[in-house]
Amino acid sequence: MHRIQQQFCALFLIGIGALGAWPANTLAGQTLDARYDRFMVVHEQTRGQSTAERAMAMSVAFDNGFAAALARDPASMDSQDLAILFNAANIAHAYSIQATHLQAMQRAFGELQARGLVEQRSFSDMHAALMASRQFEQASALEKTFPQWNVESAPTLATSSSSGKTALAVQESGNTLTRTTLAVDQGARVVVISHPLCHFSRNAMAAIEADPALSKAMARSLWLAPVDRKLNLEVIRQWKGEHPEHPMVIAFDRAEWPDFDSWSTPMFYFLRDGKLVSVVEGWPSEGNKEALLKAAEQIGL
């Protein structure tokens, strides 16, 4: 498989950087502070790695580093340790989007709630994790439990299909999303991981629309927003209005795309009968026309 690397946006973890930068003394607990520090060393060491590589490293670091704490009853834990466990699980989940890490967050959050220790930040993190895991009903219930804090409202999910590779289609108005199956497993297709908030994605689209050769090669491209902790429905709608030939849908689950190791934007994945043939990464100032045309030719476009 051929891969060309260029400039891109790392959009998929909006907000996690601030949490990772918390001073260590604000997380000091009786037994877990050193484990948290070692966990955050991995966080720093894995900067620049692909989405898949970093998710794996952070998952292993969390699962191994906090195994004893995860086996305990949260009710038996010191409140500071409980907060550390919640924050570590939050970071692990932000990278992995794994159900086990969501469950670890929920167990710690439930005990923090029972002790009256939920703050706006922990509420926002819990809600964001539920949104990324597509647990929209639970996110909506959490909003009702803590109405004093504003977050992006959880949508209503209308499922037309849940098999194969799926995405969330944004309606013209309202807060309902439709989960649909994407037809990318037959013939030549290009999947563009992209986002309206990424200026490299916007630059790529502008160049494609302005160039006849690129427009032809990318005519059957699918523009796919990555799994994120925010849906940004209004900006997705605005993109659709500005680029009706290339409406953007939102990936439902990264696990449905095992061959995609990076979800930075833009990423151009060239498929033939569902098999990954080549990848073009990013959009530098001079564009990536030749790389896109070459990759398109490789799959018969």
Side-chain angles (χ1 to χ4, degrees):
M1 182 190 71
H2 186 60
R3 180 185 294 267
I4 297 175
Q5 298 183 353
Q6 293 291 352
Q7 298 175 15
F8 53 82
C9 299
L11 257 176
F12 76 101
L13 290 178
I14 293 173
I16 194 65
L19 182 134
W22 276 15
N25 61 6
T26 67
L27 296 168
Q30 295 180 351
T31 60
L32 295 186
D33 52 342
R35 293 182 180 275
Y36 185 87
D37 289 343
R38 289 194 292 271
F39 176 67
M40 292 309 296
V41 168
V42 178
H43 183 266
E44 294 304 311
Q45 290 175 339
T46 55
R47 290 188 184 275
Q49 292 186 1
S50 72
T51 307
E53 290 170 337
R54 204 171 193 197
M56 177 62 72
M58 295 303 294
S59 294
V60 170
F62 176 76
D63 295 344
N64 292 344
F66 292 89
L70 291 168
R72 291 177 59 186
D73 180 352
S76 69
M77 296 181 66
D78 170 86
S79 292
Q80 289 181 311
D81 277 354
L82 194 63
I84 291 175
L85 180 62
F86 174 81
N87 284 300
N90 176 43
I91 295 174
H93 177 270
Y95 289 102
S96 72
I97 322 291
Q98 287 184 10
T100 54
H101 298 150
L102 180 69
Q103 291 163 7
M105 287 184 69
Q106 290 175 305
R107 292 181 72 233
F109 185 87
E111 183 59 29
L112 289 170
Q113 183 178 356
R115 299 181 191 185
L117 297 177
V118 172
E119 298 179 348
Q120 184 172 2
R121 184 167 191 160
S122 53
F123 158 74
S124 297
D125 287 337
M126 189 71 257
H127 183 271
L130 291 168
M131 294 282 276
S133 292
R134 309 313 190 205
Q135 300 298 320
F136 297 136
E137 290 185 359
Q138 293 184 48
S140 180
L142 194 66
E143 295 166 22
K144 294 180 176 64
T145 303
F146 297 94
Q148 67 271 35
W149 294 317
N150 293 325
V151 288
E152 181 183 42
S153 296
T156 300
L157 181 61
T159 302
S160 63
S161 178
S162 59
S163 60
K165 295 177 175 64
T166 65
L168 299 171
V170 180
Q171 306 303 312
E172 295 294 336
S173 61
N175 205 34
T176 297
L177 301 177
T178 302
R179 184 180 180 186
T180 60
T181 297
L182 303 173
V184 295
D185 290 335
Q186 293 185 349
R189 293 302 304 267
V190 185
V191 179
V192 187
I193 308 302
S194 50
H195 200 283
L197 296 179
C198 170
H199 70 282
F200 294 122
S201 297
R202 298 194 303 271
N203 292 347
M205 176 56 81
I208 290 167
E209 290 179 330
D211 188 288
L214 283 175
S215 293
K216 181 180 179 180
M218 301 293 289
R220 297 188 67 237
S221 57
L222 169 70
W223 292 70
L224 184 67
V227 175
D228 194 7
R229 291 185 153 203
K230 296 188 72 174
L231 295 170
N232 293 297
L233 299 186
E234 288 305 317
V235 297
I236 299 292
R237 286 194 185 99
Q238 183 177 353
W239 174 282
K240 182 178 180 180
E242 295 171 350
H243 311 288
E245 298 298 317
H246 299 285
M248 190 174 292
V249 293
I250 306 170
F252 186 82
D253 186 351
R254 288 204 309 252
E256 296 175 352
W257 307 83
D259 291 335
F260 290 9
D261 64 353
S262 178
W263 288 79
S264 298
T265 57
M267 297 286 297
F268 300 83
Y269 289 100
F270 291 80
L271 311 176
R272 184 72 191 178
D273 295 329
K275 296 181 179 180
L276 183 60
V277 176
S278 61
V279 182
V280 176
E281 298 184 2
W283 197 261
S285 58
E286 67 274 15
N288 247 339
K289 177 178 178 177
E290 297 306 317
L292 290 186
L293 293 179
K294 181 179 179 180
E297 183 180 4
Q298 289 176 334
I299 62 172
L301 292 176

PDB file of all heavy atoms in Angstrom, residues 137-150:
ATOM      1  N   GLU A 137     -28.951   8.179  24.247  1.00  0.00           N
ATOM      2  CA  GLU A 137     -30.012   8.186  25.251  1.00  0.00           C
ATOM      3  C   GLU A 137     -29.426   8.416  26.643  1.00  0.00           C
ATOM      4  O   GLU A 137     -30.011   9.157  27.451  1.00  0.00           O
ATOM      5  CB  GLU A 137     -30.791   6.875  25.201  1.00  0.00           C
ATOM      6  CG  GLU A 137     -31.644   6.712  23.940  1.00  0.00           C
ATOM      7  CD  GLU A 137     -32.489   5.459  23.973  1.00  0.00           C
ATOM      8  OE1 GLU A 137     -32.398   4.705  24.970  1.00  0.00           O
ATOM      9  OE2 GLU A 137     -33.233   5.228  23.007  1.00  0.00           O
ATOM     10  N   GLN A 138     -28.297   7.789  26.940  1.00  0.00           N
ATOM     11  CA  GLN A 138     -27.665   8.003  28.238  1.00  0.00           C
ATOM     12  C   GLN A 138     -27.154   9.440  28.370  1.00  0.00           C
ATOM     13  O   GLN A 138     -27.223  10.034  29.451  1.00  0.00           O
ATOM     14  CB  GLN A 138     -26.516   7.014  28.425  1.00  0.00           C
ATOM     15  CG  GLN A 138     -26.953   5.566  28.539  1.00  0.00           C
ATOM     16  CD  GLN A 138     -25.793   4.630  28.809  1.00  0.00           C
ATOM     17  OE1 GLN A 138     -24.963   4.890  29.686  1.00  0.00           O
ATOM     18  NE2 GLN A 138     -25.716   3.544  28.062  1.00  0.00           N
ATOM     19  N   ALA A 139     -26.630   9.998  27.288  1.00  0.00           N
ATOM     20  CA  ALA A 139     -26.166  11.384  27.315  1.00  0.00           C
ATOM     21  C   ALA A 139     -27.328  12.331  27.585  1.00  0.00           C
ATOM     22  O   ALA A 139     -27.202  13.290  28.359  1.00  0.00           O
ATOM     23  CB  ALA A 139     -25.478  11.732  25.996  1.00  0.00           C
ATOM     24  N   SER A 140     -28.472  12.062  26.957  1.00  0.00           N
ATOM     25  CA  SER A 140     -29.652  12.889  27.173  1.00  0.00           C
ATOM     26  C   SER A 140     -30.118  12.807  28.619  1.00  0.00           C
ATOM     27  O   SER A 140     -30.495  13.825  29.231  1.00  0.00           O
ATOM     28  CB  SER A 140     -30.777  12.446  26.227  1.00  0.00           C
ATOM     29  OG  SER A 140     -31.927  13.225  26.407  1.00  0.00           O
ATOM     30  N   ALA A 141     -30.095  11.599  29.189  1.00  0.00           N
ATOM     31  CA  ALA A 141     -30.491  11.435  30.592  1.00  0.00           C
ATOM     32  C   ALA A 141     -29.552  12.202  31.517  1.00  0.00           C
ATOM     33  O   ALA A 141     -29.983  12.806  32.511  1.00  0.00           O
ATOM     34  CB  ALA A 141     -30.505   9.957  30.950  1.00  0.00           C
ATOM     35  N   LEU A 142     -28.264  12.210  31.189  1.00  0.00           N
ATOM     36  CA  LEU A 142     -27.293  12.940  32.006  1.00  0.00           C
ATOM     37  C   LEU A 142     -27.560  14.441  31.947  1.00  0.00           C
ATOM     38  O   LEU A 142     -27.430  15.144  32.965  1.00  0.00           O
ATOM     39  CB  LEU A 142     -25.874  12.633  31.524  1.00  0.00           C
ATOM     40  CG  LEU A 142     -24.725  13.030  32.451  1.00  0.00           C
ATOM     41  CD1 LEU A 142     -24.762  12.219  33.739  1.00  0.00           C
ATOM     42  CD2 LEU A 142     -23.390  12.843  31.742  1.00  0.00           C
ATOM     43  N   GLU A 143     -27.935  14.933  30.785  1.00  0.00           N
ATOM     44  CA  GLU A 143     -28.294  16.347  30.653  1.00  0.00           C
ATOM     45  C   GLU A 143     -29.439  16.709  31.589  1.00  0.00           C
ATOM     46  O   GLU A 143     -29.441  17.792  32.194  1.00  0.00           O
ATOM     47  CB  GLU A 143     -28.691  16.656  29.207  1.00  0.00           C
ATOM     48  CG  GLU A 143     -27.568  16.505  28.198  1.00  0.00           C
ATOM     49  CD  GLU A 143     -28.087  16.490  26.768  1.00  0.00           C
ATOM     50  OE1 GLU A 143     -29.197  16.996  26.521  1.00  0.00           O
ATOM     51  OE2 GLU A 143     -27.384  15.953  25.887  1.00  0.00           O
ATOM     52  N   LYS A 144     -30.407  15.832  31.691  1.00  0.00           N
ATOM     53  CA  LYS A 144     -31.560  16.090  32.556  1.00  0.00           C
ATOM     54  C   LYS A 144     -31.182  16.033  34.030  1.00  0.00           C
ATOM     55  O   LYS A 144     -31.771  16.716  34.869  1.00  0.00           O
ATOM     56  CB  LYS A 144     -32.674  15.090  32.245  1.00  0.00           C
ATOM     57  CG  LYS A 144     -33.277  15.240  30.854  1.00  0.00           C
ATOM     58  CD  LYS A 144     -34.369  14.215  30.628  1.00  0.00           C
ATOM     59  CE  LYS A 144     -35.061  14.419  29.279  1.00  0.00           C
ATOM     60  NZ  LYS A 144     -34.157  14.208  28.138  1.00  0.00           N
ATOM     61  N   THR A 145     -30.196  15.204  34.361  1.00  0.00           N
ATOM     62  CA  THR A 145     -29.765  15.079  35.754  1.00  0.00           C
ATOM     63  C   THR A 145     -28.996  16.308  36.207  1.00  0.00           C
ATOM     64  O   THR A 145     -29.066  16.701  37.383  1.00  0.00           O
ATOM     65  CB  THR A 145     -28.885  13.825  35.924  1.00  0.00           C
ATOM     66  OG1 THR A 145     -29.616  12.669  35.501  1.00  0.00           O
ATOM     67  CG2 THR A 145     -28.455  13.639  37.370  1.00  0.00           C
ATOM     68  N   PHE A 146     -28.273  16.939  35.280  1.00  0.00           N
ATOM     69  CA  PHE A 146     -27.459  18.117  35.619  1.00  0.00           C
ATOM     70  C   PHE A 146     -27.846  19.280  34.698  1.00  0.00           C
ATOM     71  O   PHE A 146     -27.047  19.722  33.866  1.00  0.00           O
ATOM     72  CB  PHE A 146     -25.967  17.798  35.474  1.00  0.00           C
ATOM     73  CG  PHE A 146     -25.474  16.731  36.417  1.00  0.00           C
ATOM     74  CD1 PHE A 146     -25.417  15.399  36.018  1.00  0.00           C
ATOM     75  CD2 PHE A 146     -25.064  17.054  37.707  1.00  0.00           C
ATOM     76  CE1 PHE A 146     -24.966  14.416  36.886  1.00  0.00           C
ATOM     77  CE2 PHE A 146     -24.616  16.086  38.578  1.00  0.00           C
ATOM     78  CZ  PHE A 146     -24.567  14.753  38.175  1.00  0.00           C
ATOM     79  N   PRO A 147     -29.061  19.786  34.833  1.00  0.00           N
ATOM     80  CA  PRO A 147     -29.527  20.831  33.914  1.00  0.00           C
ATOM     81  C   PRO A 147     -28.813  22.171  34.099  1.00  0.00           C
ATOM     82  O   PRO A 147     -28.954  23.066  33.265  1.00  0.00           O
ATOM     83  CB  PRO A 147     -31.016  20.952  34.261  1.00  0.00           C
ATOM     84  CG  PRO A 147     -31.098  20.524  35.690  1.00  0.00           C
ATOM     85  CD  PRO A 147     -30.084  19.437  35.836  1.00  0.00           C
ATOM     86  N   GLN A 148     -28.060  22.311  35.166  1.00  0.00           N
ATOM     87  CA  GLN A 148     -27.391  23.587  35.436  1.00  0.00           C
ATOM     88  C   GLN A 148     -26.196  23.827  34.515  1.00  0.00           C
ATOM     89  O   GLN A 148     -25.695  24.955  34.437  1.00  0.00           O
ATOM     90  CB  GLN A 148     -26.936  23.653  36.896  1.00  0.00           C
ATOM     91  CG  GLN A 148     -25.824  22.687  37.301  1.00  0.00           C
ATOM     92  CD  GLN A 148     -26.342  21.343  37.777  1.00  0.00           C
ATOM     93  OE1 GLN A 148     -27.352  20.845  37.277  1.00  0.00           O
ATOM     94  NE2 GLN A 148     -25.652  20.755  38.749  1.00  0.00           N
ATOM     95  N   TRP A 149     -25.740  22.777  33.804  1.00  0.00           N
ATOM     96  CA  TRP A 149     -24.572  22.924  32.946  1.00  0.00           C
ATOM     97  C   TRP A 149     -24.946  22.665  31.495  1.00  0.00           C
ATOM     98  O   TRP A 149     -25.608  21.681  31.175  1.00  0.00           O
ATOM     99  CB  TRP A 149     -23.476  21.957  33.387  1.00  0.00           C
ATOM    100  CG  TRP A 149     -22.934  22.289  34.748  1.00  0.00           C
ATOM    101  CD1 TRP A 149     -22.616  23.521  35.240  1.00  0.00           C
ATOM    102  CD2 TRP A 149     -22.655  21.363  35.800  1.00  0.00           C
ATOM    103  NE1 TRP A 149     -22.156  23.430  36.522  1.00  0.00           N
ATOM    104  CE2 TRP A 149     -22.159  22.108  36.900  1.00  0.00           C
ATOM    105  CE3 TRP A 149     -22.752  19.971  35.932  1.00  0.00           C
ATOM    106  CZ2 TRP A 149     -21.782  21.520  38.096  1.00  0.00           C
ATOM    107  CZ3 TRP A 149     -22.370  19.395  37.119  1.00  0.00           C
ATOM    108  CH2 TRP A 149     -21.885  20.163  38.190  1.00  0.00           C
ATOM    109  N   ASN A 150     -24.491  23.551  30.616  1.00  0.00           N
ATOM    110  CA  ASN A 150     -24.826  23.458  29.204  1.00  0.00           C
ATOM    111  C   ASN A 150     -23.792  22.634  28.438  1.00  0.00           C
ATOM    112  O   ASN A 150     -22.582  22.824  28.614  1.00  0.00           O
ATOM    113  CB  ASN A 150     -24.907  24.852  28.579  1.00  0.00           C
ATOM    114  CG  ASN A 150     -26.072  25.658  29.117  1.00  0.00           C
ATOM    115  OD1 ASN A 150     -27.138  25.113  29.402  1.00  0.00           O
ATOM    116  ND2 ASN A 150     -25.872  26.962  29.270  1.00  0.00           N
TER     117      ASN A 150
END
